[in-house]
Amino acid sequence: MAMWVFGYGSLIWKAGFHYDERLVGFIKGYRRVFFQGSTDHRGTPEFPGRTVTLEPAEGEICWGVAYKIVGEEDQQIALTYLEVREKQYDQKAYVDFFTEPAAETPAVSGIMVYIGSPDKKINPNFLGPAPLEDIAKQIVQAEGPSGPNRDYLFQLEAALLQIGCKDKHVMDLANEVRRLLLQEDGPHNGL
Ligand code: SIN
């Protein structure tokens, strides 16, 4: 049986494992939010960064990509890799994935997705909501082993635009980060 993984964050632009098919589409009942703290990729324990997680939201959809992995060995390798990479996401959910906005029937049922839950007891890195400017300031400052937090945000914005998704939360945040960077360094930083 094929294994399917849904990516709505960095998995959109960097799978990091071998896959047989990649589909653009969405899941229902969730929205993408920069509420997850990152101390291992885009921040440090002293200065956590922010990455996306999914928040249940009635009537909303979240666009991303679905990866199909066929071979048993490839599935094992992908899962082992993802369990390390996504280790700060405490939940795995299995949801329906759609490719057509008008479709009633999912293109894939039971696709696996990593979620950082809001329960601080099991997800101590969860940061939750904050004013846009505060989230942007944190993203400007944070940097971790996978690179600056701002790069994660800008790469996500670009990857979403590439699949035809204009995510307001992501774009507003990216614009605010660009504004802060210009304010901080002046226009010579190339942004
Ligand atoms: C994902 O991409 O689906 C999970 C969040 C992330 O790793 O950025």
Side-chain angles (χ1 to χ4, degrees), residues 104-149:
E104 296 279 316
T105 328
V108 183
S109 294
I111 190 169
M112 187 178 91
V113 58
Y114 288 88
I115 298 177
S117 78
D119 185 344
K120 284 265 216 185
K121 278 197 230 77
I122 46 176
N123 181 18
N125 292 313
F126 186 77
L127 294 170
L132 185 79
E133 194 174 333
D134 293 354
I135 296 183
K137 275 186 189 148
Q138 188 173 359
I139 289 175
V140 165
Q141 278 162 11
E143 176 159 6
S146 299
N149 202 176

Side-chain angles (χ1 to χ4, degrees), residues 6-11 86 89 152:
F6 179 68
Y8 59 94
S10 63
L11 285 173
E86 306 296 332
Y89 290 76
Y152 175 96

Side-chain angles (χ1 to χ4, degrees), residues 20-188:
D20 299 278
E21 201 179 333
R22 180 183 188 264
L23 300 176
V24 172
F26 60 89
I27 60 170
K28 294 181 179 177
Y30 288 98
R31 65 188 192 104
R32 179 182 4 250
V33 284
F34 265 85
F35 291 176
Q36 178 67 9
S38 173
T39 63
D40 62 345
H41 283 300
R42 299 293 178 165
T44 60
E46 292 76 29
F47 298 101
R50 277 186 181 251
T51 56
V52 284
T53 183
L54 293 174
E55 182 176 70
E58 185 124 358
E60 294 206 31
I61 62 172
C62 176
W63 283 88
V65 295
Y67 295 105
K68 182 183 188 182
I69 307 150
V70 176
E72 247 175 65
E73 201 184 332
D74 284 345
Q75 289 179 10
Q76 211 37 257
I77 292 169
L79 208 53
T80 306
Y81 167 76
L82 285 170
E83 289 295 299
V84 175
R85 171 168 160 181
E86 306 296 332
K87 66 178 185 300
Q88 293 199 330
Y89 290 76
D90 59 300
Q91 276 185 5
K92 278 205 290 279
Y94 296 86
V95 298
D96 287 342
F97 172 81
F98 299 81
T99 49
E100 294 297 327
E104 296 279 316
T105 328
V108 183
S109 294
I111 190 169
M112 187 178 91
V113 58
Y114 288 88
I115 298 177
S117 78
D119 185 344
K120 284 265 216 185
K121 278 197 230 77
I122 46 176
N123 181 18
N125 292 313
F126 186 77
L127 294 170
L132 185 79
E133 194 174 333
D134 293 354
I135 296 183
K137 275 186 189 148
Q138 188 173 359
I139 289 175
V140 165
Q141 278 162 11
E143 176 159 6
S146 299
N149 202 176
R150 68 187 73 166
D151 288 357
Y152 175 96
L153 170 62
F154 295 147
Q155 277 173 302
L156 178 59
E157 183 192 33
L160 286 171
L161 287 175
Q162 206 169 43
I163 63 167
C165 169
K166 286 187 178 160
D167 184 313
K168 193 173 173 332
H169 177 61
V170 175
M171 290 171 76
D172 286 352
L173 202 49
N175 286 335
E176 182 61 16
V177 166
R178 278 188 281 267
R179 195 184 68 77
L180 289 174
L181 288 172
L182 277 171
Q183 217 175 48
E184 213 174 71
D185 304 332
H188 61 269

